[in-house]
Amino acid sequence: WYQRRVRDGVNKLYEEDLALQKKQLEIPTIQSTHSLVAKHVTKERWDKLCKHTTKTAGFTLAKAIACAVEYDNQHCGIYAGDWDSFKDFAEVFEPLIQEYHGIS
């Protein structure tokens, strides 16, 4: 009885973990729909970069855009967690920063 209950609990946790991992790979709903993140984090860019973590701090694109996902009042909506963020997620950061500063 006890072993079965433990096994069932472990199986449930495993299934929940798989579901969470799958959800983390899906492009999040960006609440700040008029933000620069909403414009520059395309599905193609998300799919390419969503699994990457920076070497310095283990930062992810999901962490970088968390405020634009969570709040609906962000203009930019992105933050770099470390220096590697600028390099590793350059496909998002560079055009976004250029647009924000009016640089072409």
Side-chain angles (χ1 to χ4, degrees), residues 32-94:
S32 292
T33 56
H34 299 292
S35 68
L36 294 175
V37 163
K39 180 177 181 179
H40 293 284
V41 179
T42 62
K43 178 163 177 23
E44 294 77 21
R45 287 179 179 160
W46 176 263
D47 289 344
K48 182 177 180 182
L49 300 170
C50 70
K51 295 178 187 176
H52 182 76
T53 59
T54 63
K55 289 182 181 180
T56 304
F59 211 68
T60 64
L61 184 57
K63 290 178 184 178
I65 67 169
C67 62
V69 171
E70 187 70 27
Y71 304 106
D72 64 1
N73 62 351
Q74 301 295 299
H75 174 66
C76 286
I78 195 165
Y79 296 92
D82 55 26
W83 174 246
D84 290 335
S85 297
F86 291 106
K87 297 181 291 179
D88 295 358
F89 307 120
E91 285 185 53
V92 173
F93 272 97
E94 286 183 10

Side-chain angles (χ1 to χ4, degrees), residues 1-54:
W1 170 82
Y2 178 75
Q3 288 177 343
R4 179 179 172 184
R5 190 167 177 183
V6 170
R7 184 182 64 236
D8 291 346
V10 170
N11 287 339
K12 182 169 177 55
L13 289 172
Y14 176 73
E15 290 170 6
E16 290 173 357
D17 186 54
L18 288 178
L20 181 61
Q21 288 178 31
K22 182 180 178 186
K23 184 178 180 183
Q24 289 174 339
L25 297 179
E26 297 172 2
I27 189 166
T29 301
I30 297 169
Q31 300 301 317
S32 292
T33 56
H34 299 292
S35 68
L36 294 175
V37 163
K39 180 177 181 179
H40 293 284
V41 179
T42 62
K43 178 163 177 23
E44 294 77 21
R45 287 179 179 160
W46 176 263
D47 289 344
K48 182 177 180 182
L49 300 170
C50 70
K51 295 178 187 176
H52 182 76
T53 59
T54 63

